[in-house]
Amino acid sequence: MDATIHQPVAHPRVLMPDSRGKRCWDLLLCIMSTSYIVQRLMTIVRLYFMGVDLLADSVASEQLGLLIELTLTVLLVTDLLLNFVVAYKNKHGEAVTSPPLICVRYLQSWFLPDVLASVPWSLIPPFGLLQATLFDLTKLCKLRNLRSPPCLCARH
């Protein structure tokens, strides 16, 4: 018998999860999400524990924070949409590339956490800084995408 290895044929509109581009995208999201959360937590520390008056901060600093938050929001919404076309591996380790199956699986698994992570909570008026930061912790769910950072640039 011929023991050839068959690579799955992907649907033309489906991304493979182990592709170099997808893993670089996941790393970018993890870095942005983590740095954003650290910045938010440092703001709380400065405000509540060190007594620093945030109103004394420069306008440029406030604008930079807003730019970072809006950039991260755009990245997270883009990622949410991309997840509808990223293949996954079934329990047998085979790549599932059927768009309807990918959509159903995503809707049943990480869709809701991704929606919560993509909302810019601090821009919604009823939320205070502390509450918005607690909701912003949902952005850390993006760390699940970072499976194998040392192999990020490996070719497949």
Side-chain angles (χ1 to χ4, degrees):
M1 274 204 170
D2 187 9
T4 58
I5 298 174
H6 297 286
Q7 292 292 333
V9 178
H11 189 278
R13 293 187 187 124
V14 172
L15 300 172
M16 297 308 288
D18 294 331
S19 69
R20 186 177 187 187
K22 175 68 171 107
R23 293 192 307 177
C24 288
W25 174 257
D26 290 342
L27 180 62
L28 172 67
L29 283 177
C30 291
I31 291 169
M32 287 293 294
S33 297
T34 304
S35 61
Y36 176 76
I37 295 299
V38 168
Q39 182 259 343
R40 298 290 298 194
L41 292 174
M42 290 307 298
T43 301
I44 288 177
V45 168
R46 285 177 36 213
L47 180 63
Y48 290 106
F49 299 112
M50 298 172 65
V52 175
D53 183 9
L54 292 179
L55 297 176
D57 281 351
S58 69
V59 173
S61 175
E62 183 179 327
Q63 289 175 342
L64 179 62
L66 181 62
L67 177 65
I68 290 170
E69 183 164 5
L70 292 176
T71 301
L72 181 59
T73 299
V74 168
L75 289 173
L76 290 172
V77 169
T78 303
D79 185 63
L80 185 139
L81 297 173
L82 279 176
N83 281 323
F84 280 104
V85 295
V86 174
Y88 66 93
K89 294 190 181 192
N90 63 14
K91 62 182 177 182
H92 304 294
E94 302 163 340
V96 176
T97 60
S98 167
L101 293 176
I102 293 169
C103 289
V104 168
R105 181 173 185 262
Y106 181 53
L107 287 170
Q108 292 175 343
S109 60
W110 283 101
F111 178 71
L112 184 58
D114 285 352
V115 167
L116 292 174
S118 65
V119 173
W121 295 105
S122 65
L123 299 179
I124 299 173
F127 292 99
L129 179 63
L130 182 59
Q131 294 86 356
T133 301
L134 292 175
F135 278 109
D136 280 337
L137 290 175
T138 59
K139 290 173 177 42
L140 291 178
C141 76
K142 289 307 193 182
L143 295 176
R144 77 177 191 278
N145 293 335
L146 199 58
R147 292 184 269 294
S148 56
C151 304
L152 179 69
C153 296
R155 295 195 182 257
H156 287 277

